Each structure stands twice: as C-alpha cells, then as structure tokens.
Amino acid sequence: MEKYISIKSQQYFAFNIWSIQSAKAVIDAAAQEKQNVILQTSMKAFAMLDKEELAAYVKSYGRKKNIRVFLHLDHCRKLEYIRQAAECGWDSVMIDASDRTIEENIQITNKVTEMVKKRGILVEAEVGQICGQEDGVLSVATGLARIEDIQKFLANTEPDMFAAAVGTVHGLYRKTPKIHHDMISRIAQISNIPFVVHGGTGLTDDMLLQLLAHRNVKKINISTDVKLAYRRGIEICMYTDKMDREGFNPLEIEQSVHDSIRDMAAGKMRLTGRTDISGDNTGIEYGDEKHSKHSV
Ligand code: 13P
C-alpha cells in the first residue's frame, strides 16, 4: 500500500465520520477542493459501523470523484479493533497507549506495528495524553508531553506518524489554547516523522496556518467541528418551513446536513494549499484548554 503520509507528502486534515452520509459529505468537499482526504473513525463509531460496507463505499466513491480517500482508525485502545480494521480495509490505525507508562507505550506500539505493518497498514502513536474528551473518554492529564519521553519513545519505536500533547485538546475550547510551537519544532529536529495535531476544532484559521507552517505537521484532526456542522445543518432547517409537518421531506434535512459538513470541511482543506505562511514555525504561544461532551 502506498505510504500516504510521509515527510514529503501533502498536508491533510483528517475528519472524523460516523456514517456513509457523513463520509460522503467530506468526500464531496475533498473532490470540490481536488484533494485526497483522510476519513477517520473513533473506536465508538468503528464498533457500531458496518465496516466492510463503509470501506467499500469510501473507496468506490473516492474513485468516482477521482481522489484518494484513506480510512484511519482514531485513538484505538483495543488490539481486536486494530485487527478488524486491518481486515476490513482501513489504511492506517492509531494505537493510543498514551495513558500508560512510556515503557508500556513503547511495548504496545511495537506490538501493533508488528501486527499490521506487514499488511502495509500505517501506524500512528501518541506520547503524552491529549486532554479533553474523545470517544466518551475524558482525559484530565496535565496536557504537555515531556521531550525526554518523546526522545525515548521515538528511539525505540517505528510508527509512521506521531502525535504528542503540544497544547491542543479535544472538544470545545473554553479559553484560547496555548500551542507549544517550540515543541513541534523540537520534534522535527529529533525525527523526520510526520507529526499529527489533535484537537483541531476551535482553532482559528490563523492558528491552523501556523501549525501547517511546520514542515513536519502532516495531519490535523477535526472531529467536534464535523458534529457541530451536522447540528448546524439541522438547526438551519428548524428555522424554516422545512420542519413543518405538512410537506415534511427528510431529503431536504439530509441535504442541509450534507452541505453544512461539506462546507466546513472544504473551508479547512482550502488552508492546506495556502502559501502565505511558510517555513518552520517557532515559539508562538496562546492560552489554555477546552472540554467537550461530544463523543461520537
Ligand atoms: P476535535 O474534536 O477537537 O476536533 O479533535 C479531534 C481529534 O483530535 C480526533 O483525534
């Protein structure tokens, strides 16, 4: 399988989806922007989905739209799900053992790498728990990875992409986040590994552009924003006659939800092609953290 992520590859936003409809909306955005795209499923969504059906759909719809669509399993803590993802056609998996000791994290990450790499499936790993709520799991860790842990982890593992707690958190920000750009630059000095930013929802376009200015940042995850776009699509209908009992047409509601997700995703994707910020970023810092009760 082609290595869709590498230090030379394009930069991606990866969107969490939970159904064929939400996948279609993001693929339509990618086709409109003429970009390949990563769709990711949380463990919770993965457990509920018809996996073969989703994989078959995204590959064939991507082909029809003339783009590559990659499927990723996000924040996985169950080896059984990783095995299923590998069998059902997922392109990459994230093993999240960031709540364990660094030694255990190394051991589990190596086990997953051994399990799936021979099948050409890429592995993302994480050091330092990223705060906030993902998949119904609230992480209240202090929020910053230790550089010594990162060094030790990367010296003893071989994941294809790497995430670390650098100040962003999952869910809705309560205050402006303090992003540790110096740490992202430091990681680029230690290793060539593509870096993944979690907690993309709620970052302004300027903040996202500053992240994309790091040459090692290759993937920025967006989950809560997809759910909020879904909600907005319904909300728009509630303030029009589309919700009237008489003449009620579900197709119009679904179209509104689709367009809302598509437009949000397209807006993010347009940032990756921008050249008005370039070069490696250094040391810009912001405020604090966020929390969310969204947990698909
Ligand atoms: P947000 O919900 O903050 O967009 O975070 C998404 C994420 O990092 C998924 O792994």
Side-chain angles (χ1 to χ4, degrees):
M1 205 255 309
E2 169 199 344
K3 238 184 175 207
Y4 73 78
I5 208 130
S6 74
I7 204 67
K8 292 197 186 105
S9 73
Q10 72 179 78
Q11 294 175 302
Y12 296 90
F13 281 95
F15 299 93
N16 284 62
I17 54 95
W18 55 87
S19 62
I20 287 195
Q21 286 80 1
S22 52
K24 180 178 189 302
V26 177
I27 296 172
D28 284 342
Q32 181 187 299
E33 299 306 317
K34 298 189 172 37
Q35 288 189 21
N36 298 329
V37 69
I38 304 170
L39 303 182
Q40 46 189 29
T41 49
S42 69
M43 274 208 315
K44 207 172 182 177
F46 185 81
M48 291 177 72
L49 278 164
D50 182 327
K51 299 160 214 8
E52 285 90 355
E53 183 194 32
L54 180 77
Y57 173 77
V58 304
K59 297 296 163 181
S60 80
Y61 194 55
R63 258 194 312 276
K64 180 174 167 190
K65 292 285 176 178
N66 227 3
I67 57 166
R68 296 291 307 273
V69 182
F70 303 103
L71 263 181
H72 176 77
L73 176 61
D74 195 25
H75 287 289
C76 191
R77 291 186 170 166
K78 289 191 181 172
L79 293 186
E80 174 54 22
Y81 286 177
I82 287 178
R83 194 189 56 71
Q84 287 177 21
E87 270 169 19
C88 294
W90 263 240
D91 300 281
S92 52
V93 295
M94 174 183 189
I95 173 65
D96 181 355
S98 62
D99 59 331
R100 306 291 192 90
T101 64
I102 200 70
E103 289 76 19
E104 286 169 339
N105 193 350
I106 288 170
Q107 194 191 19
I108 297 166
T109 301
N110 284 338
K111 186 166 181 179
V112 168
T113 308
E114 203 184 303
M115 252 172 83
V116 303
K117 265 209 173 159
K118 51 182 175 297
R119 304 176 76 147
I121 290 154
L122 310 183
V123 175
E124 177 182 337
E126 176 177 317
V127 167
Q129 264 190 295
I130 295 162
C131 295
Q133 183 158 320
E134 181 62 26
D135 222 1
V137 179
L138 183 66
S139 158
V140 288
T142 52
L144 259 199
R146 286 163 13 114
I147 207 76
E148 307 82 72
D149 287 344
I150 293 174
Q151 257 162 340
K152 184 168 183 184
F153 185 83
L154 290 177
N156 289 287
T157 57
E158 288 184 346
D160 301 280
M161 34 188 156
F162 174 68
V166 292
T168 56
V169 294
H170 298 118
L172 295 171
Y173 287 98
R174 286 186 178 155
K175 293 186 205 152
T176 313
K178 177 181 163 82
I179 302 175
H180 292 257
H181 289 275
D182 50 340
M183 200 149 167
I184 303 175
S185 300
R186 193 70 204 285
I187 293 165
Q189 287 162 5
I190 296 173
S191 155
N192 255 346
I193 190 159
F195 187 75
V196 180
V197 176
H198 284 248
T201 295
L203 303 183
T204 63
D205 284 0
D206 275 352
M207 289 177 189
L208 292 169
L209 284 167
Q210 278 161 1
L211 285 166
L212 291 165
H214 291 275
R215 69 178 166 77
N216 55 332
V217 168
K218 293 293 170 182
K219 175 172 175 271
I220 302 182
N221 289 355
I222 307 281
S223 175
T224 305
D225 258 341
V226 188
K227 295 168 212 163
L228 292 179
Y230 176 95
R231 183 179 181 279
R232 202 158 43 247
I234 297 172
E235 204 175 31
I236 290 166
C237 296
M238 287 173 70
Y239 298 110
T240 64
D241 58 3
K242 289 193 172 74
M243 283 301 199
D244 290 354
R245 278 167 74 97
E246 213 171 300
F248 180 78
N249 185 352
L251 280 176
E252 290 184 342
I253 318 297
E254 287 190 15
Q255 190 65 49
S256 174
V257 166
H258 168 277
D259 294 354
S260 178
I261 295 177
R262 181 200 56 203
D263 294 349
M264 181 281 300
K268 305 287 177 217
M269 285 181 207
R270 279 197 285 276
L271 297 175
T272 57
R274 294 252 305 255
T275 51
D276 45 346
I277 293 196
S278 61
D280 232 25
N281 221 326
T282 43
I284 302 154
E285 296 192 349
Y286 302 91
D288 206 34
E289 73 178 66
K290 63 178 178 178
H291 290 287
S292 170
K293 55 187 167 52
H294 300 281
S295 61
V296 163

